[in-house]
């Protein structure tokens, strides 16, 4: 069975500082990894995905994520955080014969002005 | 705006009742997925349809059922509702050219918030 862990429920960062939201995964077979963001009372918005190839994936709104196979991690990063980045972030994996996404528990990111 | 629409936005009902949630996928998308988001269970996959056929099942209760119609819109039916069914229900769609490709990006609708009193 596939699983995703987001070890931090809450991440606080000052505006302008770099941010990292952590994600580790467990799958059998090749992992296909996704990051989504959820703003209050809104649906999930797709940020980026890793399928194959370059371990550094660039996505929407200046976000990027680094795939590390040896550490089974897929951390989300942004060089300079904005207050408007404050939201709930979800890491997800799609692997094996399943087409559905298995989500982590989410990390609440707060960017402080 | 993802292009996925869901109605209604909010639904308040009583225990024991039955409700229907509706989803229209993005134009051209063949797969529809239903997810439930609750505080205690997080985001959980319920069921997937591809071009009118059930493709995969997750943690969906027997009291819940879904279908996808020829125009590709989908409905999720929840019956004999219990307090614990209160949650945000999301629909997502993906293009799925090959009966559901797990590398496809799923685009989510805004959700239907169900409150069971």
């Amino acid at each position: 069975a596939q699983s995703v862990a987001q070890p931090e429920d809450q991440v606080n960062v000052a505006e302008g500082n770099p941010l990292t939201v952590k994600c580790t995964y467990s799958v059998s077979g090749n992992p296909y990894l996704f990051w989504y963001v959820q703003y209050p009372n809104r649906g999930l918005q797709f940020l980026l995905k890793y399928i194959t190839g370059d371990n550094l994936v660039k996505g929407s709104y200046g976000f990027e994520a680094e795939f590390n196979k040896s550490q089974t991690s897929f951390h989300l990063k942004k060089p300079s955080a904005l207050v408007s980045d404050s939201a709930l972030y979800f890491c997800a994996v799609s692997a094996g014969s399943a087409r559905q996404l298995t989500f982590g528990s989410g990390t609440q990111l707060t960017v402080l002005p | 705006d993802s292009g996925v629409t869901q109605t209604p936005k909010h639904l308040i009902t009583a225990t024991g009742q039955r409700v229907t949630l509706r989803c229209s996928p993005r134009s051209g998308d063949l797969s529809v997925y239903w997810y439930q988001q609750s505080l205690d269970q997080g985001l959980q996959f319920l069921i997937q349809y591809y071009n009118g056929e059930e493709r995969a099942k997750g943690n969906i209760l027997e009291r819940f059922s879904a279908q996808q119609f020829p125009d590709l819109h989908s409905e999720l039916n929840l019956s004999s509702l219990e307090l614990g069914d209160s949650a945000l229900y999301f629909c997502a769609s993906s293009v799925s050219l090959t009966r559901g490709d797990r590398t496809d990006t799923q685009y989510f609708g805004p959700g239907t918030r169900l409150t069971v009193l």
Side-chain angles (χ1 to χ4, degrees):
Chain A
Q2 58 203 46
S3 65
V4 173
Q6 293 181 244
E8 299 159 319
D9 291 336
Q10 175 84 37
V11 169
N12 296 326
V13 63
E15 187 174 28
N17 281 3
L19 70 86
T20 298
V21 182
K22 295 179 180 177
C23 170
T24 59
Y25 65 89
S26 174
V27 302
S28 47
N30 293 322
Y32 303 108
L33 296 154
F34 301 77
W35 276 102
Y36 285 84
V37 60
Q38 185 178 23
Y39 294 96
N41 301 313
R42 301 278 295 276
L44 278 74
Q45 294 180 34
F46 169 73
L47 284 178
L48 51 81
K49 67 181 178 182
Y50 171 81
I51 304 300
T52 188
D54 194 346
N55 289 343
L56 186 64
V57 179
K58 293 191 183 298
S60 307
Y61 313 118
F63 284 94
E64 57 190 28
E66 188 168 10
F67 172 68
N68 187 318
K69 189 172 183 178
S70 63
Q71 296 187 4
T72 61
S73 67
F74 189 56
H75 301 332
L76 181 70
K77 301 182 180 186
K78 188 173 183 181
S80 179
L82 300 172
V83 172
S84 57
D85 292 330
S86 299
L88 186 57
Y89 289 80
F90 289 96
C91 181
V93 66
S94 171
S97 60
R99 270 76 175 170
Q100 68 267 32
L101 295 173
T102 298
F103 284 90
S105 55
T107 298
Q108 181 66 48
L109 173 68
T110 301
V111 181
L112 305 167
Chain B
D1 183 2
S2 67
V4 179
T5 60
Q6 290 186 248
T7 56
K9 291 186 75 172
H10 302 277
L11 203 46
I12 302 174
T13 188
T15 55
Q17 295 298 304
R18 173 189 169 94
V19 297
T20 297
L21 282 53
R22 182 188 169 101
C23 167
S24 293
R26 296 187 319 155
S27 177
D29 283 1
L30 298 177
S31 271
V32 168
Y33 308 77
W34 287 96
Y35 292 86
Q36 179 194 59
Q37 185 179 32
S38 62
L39 283 175
D40 53 345
Q41 299 288 330
L43 260 167
Q44 291 211 45
F45 167 72
L46 295 177
I47 196 164
Q48 178 204 0
Y49 277 80
Y50 171 80
N51 204 20
E53 294 182 4
E54 184 183 301
R55 189 73 186 97
K57 252 182 173 177
N59 299 321
I60 188 166
L61 300 171
E62 285 192 14
R63 301 183 284 109
F64 296 180
S65 65
Q67 53 185 327
Q68 187 179 28
F69 294 88
D71 67 352
L72 300 178
H73 92 270
S74 178
E75 293 181 355
L76 180 66
N77 300 296
L78 315 176
S79 60
S80 303
L81 285 166
E82 302 175 358
L83 296 177
D85 297 328
S86 295
L88 195 50
Y89 291 84
F90 286 113
C91 166
S93 73
S94 66
V95 62
S96 297
L97 292 174
T98 55
R99 300 196 68 201
D101 185 340
R102 58 185 178 271
T103 65
D104 282 347
T105 297
Q106 293 182 29
Y107 294 92
F108 282 74
T112 293
R113 182 169 295 281
L114 173 66
T115 302
V116 182
L117 301 175

